[in-house]
Amino acid sequence: LNFILYLVTDLLPYRVAAIYYLDDQLQIKDYRTQRKDQQPIERLPDDEALISRMYRIGQSVLWPGSDPLVTEYDSGLVVPMQHGGQMRGLLLLLNDPPYDNNHLQLLNGISRQAALALHNAEFYLYLEDMVRERTAELESAQQMLVRSEKLASVGRLAASVAHEINNPLLPIQINLDDMLEDIRAGVEIGEDAVIRTQESVERIRFIVNRLLEFTGNRQTDSSDMREIDINKVIQDIVSLNTKFFQQTNVTIEVELSALPPLYGSKYQLEHVFMNLALNAKDAMPKGGVLEFRSRADGEHIIVEVEDNGCGIPQDIIDNIFEPFVSTKDQGNGLGLFISYGIIESHNGSIEVQSDVERGTCFTIKLPYRQR
């Protein structure tokens, strides 16, 4: 408004100049007035009546030559600023020397450009408001999403704790049931059953420590790193799970070759093989065959864990070792993630090949000369 009024008063003679910007109801939204003698001036008297009269006339007014709209001045120009067929404002000039049609044409030209400029400015402000409002909505939605994701992560982590601990609890329950039957039958409890139960309890301790490491609340414990027989680790897992797997018609087959000692963590590697075995069982709900194979290859030990279950869909197989990626409806997606970290900490690698409805094979490669 200031710029338009400056432009008008620079191009045309005047004693008093004014610009009014109107809303859709022809109410004054904003205005500017100016006197040639720099004296202060407020809104003109009866400006609302002037606006109403101009709306009824619907065109520019020049006096003398027509009825004056401001009787205190001998000469004046009043031009509507129109956009889209609607009056959005007025330009008014008052003077004592008379105006002519040249003045009127010039002011009409200015008013058309002024109406367009004001419309664009208003639309720009509207867009700014829309952007601010939308930005606020997006920021609020983002904050809600972050909070929801944090809650979801807590839920997934809680589910992972339950899932990972339940895995070794099942063989413990089976062993305890067997020992209870032996006690009731007066049969001496075998030492192997007690040892396997103790090992499962130790496995639970290891799982808790690994989950603490995952959340950043515990440092990796390397105190259990020593020379181990990887075949013995596999045989212990098979022995621990045989009865449990028989209940779901899953047969475990073992093909183990003579291997050199491996420097590593017995409990960590037990966790990997236990996780792979239980995943295989879940992939064979109607029963099937789980195979453990081991062999030496150069300076590495190769262990393959293969099933003939439902397989892993191709759209997730590349991300199967990432956290919270799972093929199971109730899976937490941390088992393979933790297993991958264990094998990596042993300077080894784990790979997967799978065909849907045909089965899955995990191949673990571990160096045995790494001390």
Side-chain angles (χ1 to χ4, degrees), residues 196-257:
R196 287 197 300 269
T197 302
Q198 289 177 329
E199 289 176 345
S200 291
V201 172
E202 187 63 24
R203 195 171 296 112
I204 291 175
R205 181 192 67 81
F206 161 74
I207 291 169
V208 172
N209 288 340
R210 292 297 298 181
L211 289 170
L212 289 173
E213 292 170 17
F214 172 71
T215 58
N217 294 318
R218 186 181 181 91
Q219 299 297 319
T220 302
D221 182 9
S222 60
S223 60
D224 61 344
M225 299 288 284
R226 56 181 57 88
E227 280 192 348
I228 58 174
D229 181 353
I230 198 71
N231 285 339
K232 178 65 166 56
V233 174
I234 294 172
Q235 289 168 340
D236 289 344
I237 293 297
V238 171
S239 176
L240 184 65
N241 287 283
T242 297
K243 289 185 179 180
F244 174 51
F245 277 37
Q246 286 175 348
Q247 296 175 1
T248 56
N249 297 318
V250 173
T251 301
I252 303 179
E253 297 181 356
V254 178
E255 184 181 333
L256 306 178
S257 303

Side-chain angles (χ1 to χ4, degrees), residues 308-321:
N308 59 354
C310 61
I312 301 171
Q314 291 300 310
D315 58 340
I316 68 168
I317 195 167
D318 290 338
N319 304 317
I320 198 66
F321 296 111

Side-chain angles (χ1 to χ4, degrees), residues 159-368:
S160 75
V161 173
H163 176 78
E164 294 295 331
I165 290 179
N166 275 334
N167 284 342
L169 278 178
L170 292 173
I172 290 175
Q173 183 65 51
I174 292 173
N175 284 336
L176 290 176
D177 289 342
D178 289 345
M179 285 188 281
L180 183 59
E181 289 181 6
D182 289 343
I183 291 174
R184 288 172 177 172
V187 177
E188 183 179 355
I189 299 174
E191 182 180 354
D192 288 345
V194 177
I195 292 174
R196 287 197 300 269
T197 302
Q198 289 177 329
E199 289 176 345
S200 291
V201 172
E202 187 63 24
R203 195 171 296 112
I204 291 175
R205 181 192 67 81
F206 161 74
I207 291 169
V208 172
N209 288 340
R210 292 297 298 181
L211 289 170
L212 289 173
E213 292 170 17
F214 172 71
T215 58
N217 294 318
R218 186 181 181 91
Q219 299 297 319
T220 302
D221 182 9
S222 60
S223 60
D224 61 344
M225 299 288 284
R226 56 181 57 88
E227 280 192 348
I228 58 174
D229 181 353
I230 198 71
N231 285 339
K232 178 65 166 56
V233 174
I234 294 172
Q235 289 168 340
D236 289 344
I237 293 297
V238 171
S239 176
L240 184 65
N241 287 283
T242 297
K243 289 185 179 180
F244 174 51
F245 277 37
Q246 286 175 348
Q247 296 175 1
T248 56
N249 297 318
V250 173
T251 301
I252 303 179
E253 297 181 356
V254 178
E255 184 181 333
L256 306 178
S257 303
L259 299 174
L262 172 73
Y263 185 75
S265 166
K266 173 178 181 291
Y267 295 115
Q268 291 184 25
L269 294 174
E270 278 182 344
H271 175 82
V272 173
F273 296 134
M274 174 70 81
N275 182 263
L276 294 179
L278 293 173
N279 283 348
K281 180 189 73 67
D282 292 339
M284 298 181 288
K286 297 181 180 180
V289 178
L290 169 63
E291 296 182 66
F292 282 91
R293 299 187 293 269
S294 71
R295 68 180 189 275
D297 181 13
E299 295 186 351
H300 292 84
I301 289 173
I302 308 296
V303 177
E304 294 175 331
V305 183
E306 185 172 5
D307 64 70
N308 59 354
C310 61
I312 301 171
Q314 291 300 310
D315 58 340
I316 68 168
I317 195 167
D318 290 338
N319 304 317
I320 198 66
F321 296 111
E322 294 181 5
F324 306 125
V325 175
S326 177
T327 61
K328 294 177 280 189
D329 293 337
Q330 304 299 321
N332 57 75
L334 283 179
L336 288 176
F337 171 68
I338 293 175
S339 297
Y340 184 89
I342 291 173
I343 298 302
E344 195 174 53
S345 69
H346 283 71
N347 297 321
S349 64
I350 179 170
E351 298 177 350
V352 60
Q353 290 183 329
S354 184
D355 292 320
V356 176
E357 303 302 333
R358 297 185 62 182
T360 301
C361 180
F362 286 90
T363 301
I364 297 170
K365 189 175 184 180
L366 296 167
Y368 58 84

Side-chain angles (χ1 to χ4, degrees), residues 1 20-24 26-32 88 122:
L1 295 180
Y20 294 92
Y21 191 40
L22 310 177
D23 62 17
D24 294 338
L26 300 182
Q27 300 298 310
I28 299 174
K29 292 177 64 175
D30 203 355
Y31 70 97
R32 297 291 188 274
R88 301 309 304 268
E122 188 174 59

